[in-house]
Amino acid sequence: MANSAIPRDFLKNVLQNGMGRYVCQLQRITFRFCKSHPGSRHMRDFVENHLLDFTKKNPGVVVYLQPRRHRPPSIVAEFLNGRRETMEMIGKEPGEICKWTEHMRGRSGVQIVNMIRNNHTETPSTQGIWHPFMFRDSTTALAKFPSSQYSAVKQTGKTATDFILEEVKKK
Amino acid sequence: MAAKTCARQVMNIWRRGQPSFLPFKELSCVRELSQCSVKRPNVGGASLHSLPGNRFSSEFLSVVSPSWACLRTKSTHEADVKISMDLGVCGMERLEDFTPLADKHLQTDVTGQINETLEQGDAGRLYAVVNIRGIQHKVTAGDVIVVKYDFPPNVGDRLRLEKVLAVGGKDFSLIGQPLLSRNVVRVDATVVEKTLSHNRAWFVFQKRRNFKKFFLYREMFTVLAINSIQVAKLSQDKGVQQLED
């Protein structure tokens, strides 16, 4: 009802990434800015001073620069699973743009929604799922009743009488 | 009156009696042990020993005879209390199936069996209980877990998860008190993703006081993929100490 209205999904690991080799899921990143408008000032600063550090560290990510006249600055990240994420960079200083770029690099392309569970496993059971007959003696299935074995009084431990008798026997 | 004092004297003698460690060849639990695991996962199994108010329960017994299923010494009781407090499992100290590893013969038997399964490669899929920043997860190879909030390792880094509380397979379990040694178990993981959570709302409202606060926040989290769990062969000579840090 109300729960289904809020988008939520299980945790996912895209194509078992990291099991053999880790593959960066960010395919390409586009930096959009205006060459003249003051709103793109920080973005231009980033492109001039910080962008090449990012490209050197991440040779597997394709970087595009897209100057767009009279439009606000933004970044568009495209991931290997085909998803596209756009983020506006108006008013964000070069340091912050660096951080958001790094954030895009660290993501898998999966959509960010409410996480149902903080883990996911394909094999939840190692020792077998418990069932009521798991640790029971299977000979009970063949038992015929009345049975002297199953009707026997369970031993509760040493009683005081037994203790006294032992003491007496010792003497 | 006379009967009462007699009973009290009996109890006192009983309590002061010498603990004797008797051979337990006839115990059914030993035979069953050779077939399966060190600790039979039968937590919560009730016995008349565990009834509250049972004056003849194991805590009063210091003299033990093999004809009763429960074989306990003081060291075993202390070890079990320690385990139950650390793992938060109540009643574990009263389990009759929990074989005391203080005995050397049993130790060599169990370690021998575990080593055999490891040598032959029959261990199969292993699970481990791992503690990361206070949160425990039961993990196997191939599954993913989340570590909340800022986590220093970068995307793509290979990690070794150090705090392992328990490890096991289909036929055996090694349970640490509370942690297992680095030399016994190795759990490898890779940092797969570092993102932010969805927008979460923080809302406080007090009625009739014109007080409310609302803001949205996003938490950082890291996704780890567990690569492998490896268990080393146990030494027959060292005993229980080799499992400890």
Side-chain angles (χ1 to χ4, degrees):
Chain A
M1 247 182 56
N3 280 340
S4 60
I6 301 164
R8 64 214 170 108
D9 199 6
F10 287 100
L11 188 64
K12 278 181 183 138
N13 185 17
V14 177
L15 279 182
Q16 296 176 351
N17 199 11
M19 295 314 299
R21 182 170 69 97
Y22 167 74
V23 176
C24 179
Q25 293 295 308
L26 181 63
Q27 195 176 11
R28 66 184 80 91
I29 192 157
T30 310
F31 295 93
R32 304 195 288 207
F33 57 97
C34 179
K35 281 182 183 173
S36 53
H37 198 276
S40 296
R41 178 165 55 95
H42 295 306
M43 182 59 103
R44 278 179 253 130
D45 188 0
F46 168 83
V47 167
E48 280 168 22
N49 301 320
H50 300 105
L51 181 61
L52 287 177
D53 293 336
F54 175 78
T55 54
K56 278 170 191 166
K57 278 184 197 171
N58 305 289
V61 177
V62 183
V63 173
Y64 289 99
L65 295 177
Q66 192 178 6
R68 302 196 300 171
R69 277 195 314 165
H70 315 311
R71 298 279 204 96
S74 59
I75 58 173
V76 180
E78 282 165 88
F79 298 96
L80 289 175
N81 65 355
R83 288 198 69 253
R84 207 163 180 255
E85 292 268 350
T86 312
M87 222 178 149
E88 289 179 358
M89 295 285 139
I90 306 166
K92 291 194 167 81
E93 301 207 343
E96 222 182 319
I97 298 174
C98 285
K99 277 195 171 177
W100 285 115
T101 315
E102 186 59 32
H103 165 251
M104 290 300 180
R105 179 189 84 89
R107 283 177 63 170
S108 66
V110 163
Q111 194 183 3
I112 292 173
V113 287
N114 196 350
M115 219 169 22
I116 293 169
R117 204 163 290 133
N118 64 353
N119 52 54
H120 174 76
T121 173
E122 297 292 326
T123 48
S125 175
T126 316
Q127 295 179 347
I129 298 169
W130 179 87
H131 55 83
F133 304 102
M134 204 174 209
F135 300 113
R136 290 237 176 117
D137 196 4
S138 54
T139 54
T140 50
L142 302 167
K144 290 190 177 165
F145 295 98
S147 156
S148 56
Q149 184 195 348
Y150 293 109
S151 305
V153 174
K154 276 192 185 173
Q155 290 174 341
T156 58
K158 227 174 180 180
T159 60
T161 317
D162 297 319
F163 184 79
I164 292 163
L165 287 170
E166 265 195 31
E167 291 288 311
V168 164
K169 273 181 197 169
K170 277 182 197 173
K171 291 171 188 170
Chain B
M1 198 61 176
K4 252 191 193 173
T5 42
C6 183
R8 188 174 290 283
Q9 280 165 7
V10 163
M11 280 286 283
N12 285 337
I13 295 162
W14 195 350
R15 273 188 213 167
R16 273 188 263 116
Q18 295 299 314
S20 63
F21 195 88
L22 297 158
F24 48 90
K25 286 182 219 168
E26 306 307 315
L27 276 182
S28 61
C29 67
V30 177
R31 266 181 261 122
E32 277 152 0
L33 180 73
S34 59
Q35 285 152 25
C36 50
S37 53
V38 173
K39 171 187 156 293
R40 282 173 56 190
N42 190 13
V43 179
S47 70
L48 286 167
H49 286 278
S50 59
L51 284 178
N54 184 0
R55 284 157 150 250
F56 307 111
S57 66
S58 51
E59 37 191 45
F60 290 91
L61 280 175
S62 45
V63 180
V64 183
S65 153
S67 57
W68 284 269
C70 174
L71 177 68
R72 311 202 79 88
T73 59
K74 196 178 174 192
S75 60
T76 313
H77 176 72
E78 279 172 9
D80 286 345
V81 168
K82 193 176 161 194
I83 293 165
S84 76
M85 283 181 72
D86 288 334
L87 289 181
V89 177
C90 30
M92 212 160 143
E93 65 212 70
R94 296 189 185 278
L95 277 183
E96 292 167 353
D97 307 327
F98 201 16
T99 315
L101 279 177
D103 180 53
K104 290 244 165 170
H105 296 295
L106 256 187
Q107 266 179 44
T108 46
D109 188 31
V110 171
T111 49
Q113 282 177 46
I114 293 173
N115 287 343
E116 224 181 279
T117 44
L118 291 171
E119 265 173 52
Q120 289 165 4
D122 289 340
R125 178 168 282 276
L126 296 175
Y127 75 88
V129 176
V130 136
N131 183 315
I132 303 175
R133 297 212 290 194
I135 310 288
Q136 291 179 17
H137 294 268
K138 192 206 83 133
V139 297
T140 55
D143 66 351
V144 285
I145 52 176
V146 156
V147 179
K148 271 179 138 188
Y149 315 120
D150 193 15
F151 194 51
N154 289 315
V155 177
D157 290 349
R158 295 287 292 243
L159 307 178
R160 181 184 174 172
L161 304 178
E162 296 275 350
K163 289 186 191 169
V164 184
L165 287 94
V167 76
K170 193 155 191 347
D171 297 321
F172 73 96
S173 297
L174 301 177
I175 296 167
Q177 294 182 327
L179 295 177
L180 289 168
S181 163
R182 298 182 87 234
N183 305 320
V184 171
V185 64
R186 187 188 172 103
V187 180
D188 290 312
T190 309
V191 179
V192 161
E193 189 183 355
K194 290 190 80 164
T195 44
L196 296 169
S197 70
H198 70 291
N199 261 318
R200 308 184 74 120
W202 178 263
F203 180 61
V204 185
F205 172 79
Q206 288 176 17
K207 58 186 176 184
R208 298 187 297 275
R209 287 187 191 193
N210 196 24
F211 176 80
K212 66 181 172 191
K213 290 184 187 179
F214 175 84
F215 62 87
L216 296 168
Y217 67 97
R218 297 177 83 179
E219 290 164 349
M220 293 188 270
F221 70 88
T222 310
V223 180
L224 299 182
I226 307 297
N227 292 111
S228 65
I229 299 170
Q230 294 159 317
V231 176
K233 279 205 279 188
L234 304 172
S235 161
Q236 303 257 2
D237 311 317
K238 286 184 190 170
V240 180
Q241 275 66 44
Q242 69 183 308
L243 295 179
E244 292 163 15
D245 261 329

